[in-house]
Amino acid sequence: MSVLSQIEPLLLQVQKPAQYIGGEVGSIVKDKSQVAVRFAFCFPDTYEIGMSHLGMKILYGATNARKEYWCERVFAPCADFEALMREHQIPLYALESLDPVREFDMVGFTLQYELSFTNILNMLDLAGIPLHAADRGENLAPIVVAGGPCVCNPEPLADFFDLFIVGEGEEVNLELMDLYREMKARGAGRRAFLQEAARIPGIYVPSLYTVAYHEDGTIREMIPHDGAPQTIQKRIIPDLDHAFYPDTLVVPFTETVHDRAVEEVLRGCLRGCRFCQAGFLYRPFREKSPETINRQCRALCDNTGYQEISLSSLSTSDHSRLSETLEELLPYTESHRVNLTLPSLRVDNFSKELMERIQGVRKSSLTFAPEAGTQRLRDVINKNVTEEELMRTADIAFSGGMTNVKLYFMMGLPTETLEDIAGIAALAERLIDHFYQMPDRPKGRGIQISISCATFVPKPFTPFQYEPQICREELEKRQAHLLESIQPRNRRKIKVSWHTYEISLLEAVLARGDRRLGQVIETAWRSGCKFDSWSECFSYEKWEAAFSACGLDPTFYANRQRAYEEIFPWDHLDYLVDKAFFAAENKAAHASCTTPHCRIKCAGCGVNRKIGRACF
């Protein structure tokens, strides 16, 4: 019985059935008999989240541009549809062909967030693929692979994957598929393929490494064997102007989180914020030319019919030719009635000219991330944003008619004090005072400040990878102090929200964990954990029980100060930035010293030495 005939009678019993049927405009269907390798691209979250992911759009297009390869999309089913799938024994399937995932040559997951790990096990189980790589036998297919930012420390998932793709995947994914095609034709088995795959730069095969531990639980040594390299250096795309970028996208039938066209304008970040993992993982900083950006934006809008396009990056306003880009792009967007959005704008380079250019884009709200409430703590984290710059930007925004301001902060940053917490409230209140002192403020409208406080999560490949995460009791003390610090007259104008502590704790554990956590993840999943990033689905009690059952302590991973000389679970992966640089930046943080961004002065992180050229 085909999957289609199985799911058709069930679709009216679930919410948003359009996410399970495929057939969208822009989806690619090929003749299976003409395809040499089939790749199932699995996003371990729902369709509406996964279809907003830029990486999937790029790799979907790049793979399908090769006529001999076919990439199809797979998403985690929501609870209502999963229950029906299990009841009617419907396997996890891909949307283009509706074929079961277990029939594919390669099954690839993107690791975007640590709290999706149980969803990965759930999807493998739904697909009928053995959870453990060691249990998949010598048959070549399916090879289970993973890429994405969380591959910077894949050790908690090492038992479940055949291999990991380290770094940017546009080129290495195709090299891996080329090897698979060749070895499939030769009748090779799984182990022979994995040994050959480990020779491709950027491919990490965890089964070719053994971990030895000290008595205190820290790592003593990572031991490669069977010719595997000592370290695996990440892959990068050196020239974005000549890299593959899709000229069309799959257009969903149903609404998604970011329901628009997306143009990546640059990759990397030059700022060096010490808490920000993405800013270091994606180095070096690379820009597309205005000509490329404009050509790709026009193609995406013309081919998809989207009436909104976002210029996406970690810091869009850091593009050195943004003004020139907008000068060319705005006549097109205005004449075609396409809304242009510019996320990731920074306080220190938000100008009146830029405000005027995006006047039709954001008329009511502005979002900034000071991250810390005092200049001292902003210096610690190397945010390099001053209160004067924030007020100047607010002045421009208020003059342009914006009255809703969203401010993002973190609690539990290294060296943070109650004075820094009170500074969050003080900063919001100074914005309010500034608004009402402006003679040209929007008339008849009040200001509303939304403060969102995330719990600081120390991450690998950052200067704060050595730091402990704050404990719950201390966090609750700081949260109470923030509320008490807001003056009564401003409490209706300031709204405060924060993330669930236990979710941030688990994120910290999984982010810096080792291979021993694989048994915890599996135990938690077997007890019913999935969609852990969704507060309504999250059960820390089940995770606590899983840690206890496996004899592991989450505080060892989350709340422990690490020595500079400690060997980390991810030290065999090379993301181009030197570990010595991270240690030096950590020391600078504790001395409240800032490091200029890369355009001002090279900080000597090591990237330019490893790529063999200057970053700029």
Side-chain angles (χ1 to χ4, degrees), residues 219 461-463 465-466 562-587 604-607 609-610:
I219 291 176
F461 295 101
T462 69
Q465 63 184 354
Y466 310 94
R562 285 159 170 71
Y564 293 133
E565 62 272 15
E566 180 176 332
I567 296 175
F568 295 146
W570 53 89
D571 276 353
H572 58 300
L573 305 182
D574 182 1
Y575 274 76
L576 304 182
V577 181
D578 294 335
K579 189 175 182 181
F581 171 80
F582 290 135
E585 280 291 285
N586 183 271
K587 293 172 184 176
C605 73
V607 170
R609 184 182 72 254
K610 292 178 181 177

Side-chain angles (χ1 to χ4, degrees), residues 184-488:
K184 179 182 178 181
R186 293 187 350 222
R190 180 180 301 267
R191 184 166 182 80
F193 169 77
L194 293 177
Q195 289 177 344
E196 286 299 313
R199 300 176 185 273
I200 298 176
I203 298 297
Y204 168 47
V205 179
S207 61
L208 300 183
Y209 295 78
T210 303
V211 187
Y213 296 91
H214 293 293
E215 288 187 5
D216 65 359
T218 59
I219 291 176
R220 177 169 58 84
E221 189 179 7
M222 175 72 77
I223 307 164
H225 47 86
D226 292 336
Q230 189 72 45
T231 59
I232 301 94
Q233 188 175 98
K234 77 165 185 174
R235 295 288 293 267
I236 64 167
I237 303 299
D239 183 357
L240 295 185
D241 278 336
H242 294 92
F244 176 87
Y245 200 79
D247 57 10
T248 190
L249 306 171
V250 179
V251 181
F253 290 133
T254 186
E255 187 176 359
T256 59
V257 173
H258 299 300
D259 202 9
R260 60 196 180 207
V262 181
E263 166 66 7
E264 183 185 31
V265 298
L266 61 87
R267 196 171 291 181
C269 184
L270 48 81
R271 294 288 171 168
C273 298
R274 291 171 178 142
F275 59 86
C276 180
Q277 185 183 59
F280 293 103
L281 289 186
Y282 292 107
R283 290 190 177 196
F285 184 84
R286 291 147 289 163
E287 297 179 341
K288 288 182 183 175
S289 67
E291 295 77 18
T292 298
I293 294 170
N294 277 277
R295 183 183 71 252
Q296 292 177 350
C297 284
R298 289 169 184 248
L300 285 171
C301 292
D302 291 346
N303 292 334
T304 64
Y306 273 117
Q307 295 294 287
E308 181 175 349
I309 189 163
S310 171
L311 301 187
S312 176
S313 74
L314 292 176
S315 183
T316 299
S317 51
D318 278 332
H319 194 291
S320 63
R321 300 171 69 187
L322 180 60
S323 180
E324 180 184 343
T325 300
L326 294 176
E327 203 167 298
E328 293 183 29
L329 184 58
L330 284 171
Y332 170 82
T333 58
E334 291 167 359
S335 64
H336 287 72
R337 297 185 179 180
V338 173
N339 193 34
L340 179 67
T341 62
L342 284 80
S344 304
L345 299 178
R346 281 184 59 93
V347 169
D348 55 350
N349 55 15
F350 186 91
S351 64
K352 185 176 182 180
E353 178 189 21
L354 182 57
M355 174 72 205
E356 290 170 351
R357 288 183 179 275
I358 63 172
Q359 187 74 267
V361 177
R362 294 182 174 183
K363 292 185 177 178
S364 60
S365 66
L366 196 65
T367 301
F368 290 120
E371 309 294 1
T374 63
Q375 191 59 49
R376 183 202 70 80
L377 193 54
R378 284 193 290 275
D379 289 346
V380 167
I381 65 177
N382 207 46
K383 185 65 180 178
N384 285 326
V385 167
T386 66
E387 185 171 318
E388 290 72 25
E389 288 168 332
L390 179 63
M391 292 302 168
R392 177 186 61 81
T393 301
D395 189 63
I396 296 170
F398 294 154
S399 299
M402 299 183 182
T403 58
N404 294 331
V405 179
K406 297 176 182 179
L407 299 175
Y408 289 94
F409 296 91
M410 281 184 285
M411 281 188 174
L413 287 163
T415 81
E416 183 181 77
T417 66
L418 291 180
E419 182 179 345
D420 298 309
I421 298 299
I424 296 174
L427 182 59
E429 291 180 331
R430 282 194 288 274
L431 276 171
I432 293 172
D433 293 341
H434 185 73
F435 175 82
Y436 285 107
Q437 290 166 5
M438 288 181 57
D440 58 343
R441 72 177 185 271
K443 304 303 179 185
R445 297 165 66 186
I447 185 173
Q448 183 67 55
I449 306 272
S450 297
I451 294 174
S452 176
C453 294
T455 303
F456 165 66
V457 177
K459 294 278 183 133
F461 295 101
T462 69
F464 289 160
Q465 63 184 354
Y466 310 94
E467 299 292 334
Q469 187 179 51
I470 193 172
C471 68
R472 178 212 288 273
E473 293 74 21
E474 184 59 35
L475 179 67
E476 290 176 347
K477 176 182 175 182
R478 298 181 194 192
Q479 290 172 340
H481 189 68
L482 173 58
L483 295 178
E484 293 165 1
S485 299
I486 300 173
Q487 297 181 47

Side-chain angles (χ1 to χ4, degrees), residues 46-93:
T46 62
Y47 178 95
E48 61 183 348
I49 294 174
M51 282 298 293
S52 301
H53 175 53
L54 177 59
M56 172 176 274
K57 302 175 195 291
I58 294 173
L59 295 176
Y60 181 84
T63 305
N64 285 320
R66 295 275 296 270
K67 63 180 182 180
E68 68 271 31
Y69 300 149
W70 188 9
C71 179
E72 302 186 45
R73 296 161 297 134
V74 185
F75 302 94
C78 294
D80 55 355
F81 192 57
E82 183 194 336
L84 291 171
M85 291 175 70
R86 292 191 181 278
E87 179 185 348
H88 295 273
Q89 298 183 326
I90 300 170
L92 187 69
Y93 59 89

